[in-house]
């Protein structure tokens, strides 16, 4: 069975600093996708970044990068140069096939 | 290009009433997912549908909950005889395709159900 684990319920980061949000996964499927979503206090789910299991390079999208370590089954999100608007819940997700599995989320607070 | 549209955004029901939540996927998307998010928790998969077919409903409670995605019109998540534990945010997401290495899910803004 597939499983997504986020072990950090809450994180704090100083504005303009970088922060890493952890995500580990478990699957027996050889082909899968890993996603990160942001959920601000307004509640909507915002797609941030995607990594395919066969992608050779780590995904990057602006200030977001995904540190993909396949052997360790980890897909950590790195946010560089944190901004106050980055304060939100962040969810890691995995999507092989029918279901997209979500972790329990990490609440990030950016401190001015 | 409209995104995933969910309505109502907020719904209040008394115990025992029915709740109907609607979801119109993005144009060109034929795959719809419903998720439930309880307060302070992550998203729990409920059901995955394609047009006129339920593909995976393993996350749906066995009773009172049903979902459909007709050939014409939005996808509907129906909760009969609601109880207070049904109070949650219900998110719909759509995708243009399925299978490994797909693109992201596009989420609606959610429907927040409150059961009094």
């Amino acid at each position: 069975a597939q499983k997504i684990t986020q072990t950090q319920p809450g994180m704090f980061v100083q504005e303009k600093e970088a922060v890493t949000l952890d995500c580990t996964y478990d699957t027996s499927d050889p082909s899968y996708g890993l996603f990160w979503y942001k959920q601000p206090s307004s509640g909507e789910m915002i797609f941030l970044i995607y990594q395919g299991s066969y992608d050779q390079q780590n995904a990057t999208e602006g200030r977001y990068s995904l540190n993909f370590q396949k052997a360790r089954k980890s897909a950590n999100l790195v946010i560089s140069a944190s901004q106050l608007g980055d304060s939100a819940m962040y969810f890691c997700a995995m999507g092989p096939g029918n279901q997209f599995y979500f972790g329990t989320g990490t609440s990030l607070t950016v401190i001015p | 290009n409209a995104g995933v549209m969910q309505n109502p955004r907020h719904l209040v029901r008394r115990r025992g009433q029915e709740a109907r939540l609607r979801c119109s996927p993005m144009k060109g998307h034929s795959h719809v997912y419903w998720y439930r998010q309880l307060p302070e928790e992550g998203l729990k998969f409920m059901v995955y549908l394609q047009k006129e077919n339920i593909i995976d409903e393993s996350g749906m409670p066995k009773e009172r909950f049903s979902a459909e995605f007709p050939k014409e019109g939005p996808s509907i998540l129906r909760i009969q005889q609601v109880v207070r534990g049904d109070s949650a945010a219900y998110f719909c997401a759509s995708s243009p395709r399925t299978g490994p290495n797909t693109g992201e899910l596009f989420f609606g803004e959610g429907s927040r159900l409150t059961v009094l």
Side-chain angles (χ1 to χ4, degrees):
Chain A
Q2 291 84 0
K3 184 180 177 182
I4 289 277
T5 303
Q6 293 180 256
T7 58
Q8 304 156 314
M11 290 281 288
F12 292 86
V13 63
Q14 203 76 36
E15 192 178 7
K16 299 181 185 177
E17 297 291 316
V19 63
T20 298
L21 306 183
D22 294 342
C23 173
T24 57
Y25 62 93
D26 188 21
T27 181
S28 56
D29 289 326
S31 183
Y32 49 89
L34 296 157
F35 308 79
W36 278 91
Y37 286 84
K38 172 184 177 182
Q39 187 178 42
S41 57
S42 51
E44 71 268 32
M45 294 288 288
I46 302 168
F47 166 75
L48 296 179
I49 196 166
Y50 161 79
Q51 178 86 42
S53 59
Y54 291 122
D55 293 343
Q56 295 296 320
Q57 294 192 336
N58 288 344
T60 60
E61 290 286 347
R63 295 186 298 110
Y64 304 108
S65 60
L66 201 152
N67 184 2
F68 181 46
Q69 298 187 39
K70 194 170 183 178
R72 299 175 67 177
K73 293 190 175 180
S74 72
N76 298 339
L77 176 70
V78 180
I79 305 174
S80 62
S82 297
Q83 302 172 357
L84 295 178
D86 294 335
S87 293
M89 284 290 292
Y90 289 81
F91 292 97
C92 180
M94 179 170 63
N98 292 349
Q99 297 190 18
F100 282 72
Y101 296 88
F102 283 81
T104 52
T106 296
S107 176
L108 177 66
T109 301
V110 180
I111 304 167
Chain B
N1 200 13
V4 178
M5 303 300 292
Q6 287 189 249
N7 68 84
R9 292 290 311 279
H10 300 274
L11 182 64
V12 179
R13 285 287 179 267
R14 296 192 180 278
R15 282 179 296 169
Q17 292 184 317
E18 179 180 289
R20 282 188 181 229
L21 310 177
R22 287 174 290 277
C23 169
S24 296
M26 285 185 70
K27 187 176 181 180
H29 288 192
S30 58
H31 302 260
V32 166
Y33 302 77
W34 284 94
Y35 287 85
R36 176 165 63 176
Q37 185 178 32
L38 295 170
E40 310 299 324
E41 294 188 13
L43 282 81
K44 301 293 186 187
F45 168 80
M46 298 183 75
V47 62
Y48 162 50
L49 311 103
Q50 295 181 23
K51 284 284 187 182
E52 299 185 277
N53 285 302
I54 297 175
I55 307 301
D56 185 342
E57 57 180 348
S58 58
M60 289 274 275
K62 296 290 184 243
E63 297 178 348
R64 302 186 299 107
F65 284 73
S66 62
E68 63 177 10
F69 189 17
K71 186 177 180 181
E72 301 290 338
S75 175
I76 306 286
L77 179 67
R78 181 184 179 203
I79 312 172
Q80 295 177 290
Q81 298 174 343
V82 296
V83 301
R84 289 213 174 109
D86 297 333
S87 296
Y90 292 84
F91 285 92
C92 171
S94 73
S95 172
R97 62 191 186 282
T98 189
N101 295 324
T102 67
E104 72 271 24
L105 293 178
F106 295 82
F107 279 87
E109 294 185 319
S111 292
R112 280 148 185 85
L113 172 66
T114 301
V115 180
L116 301 177

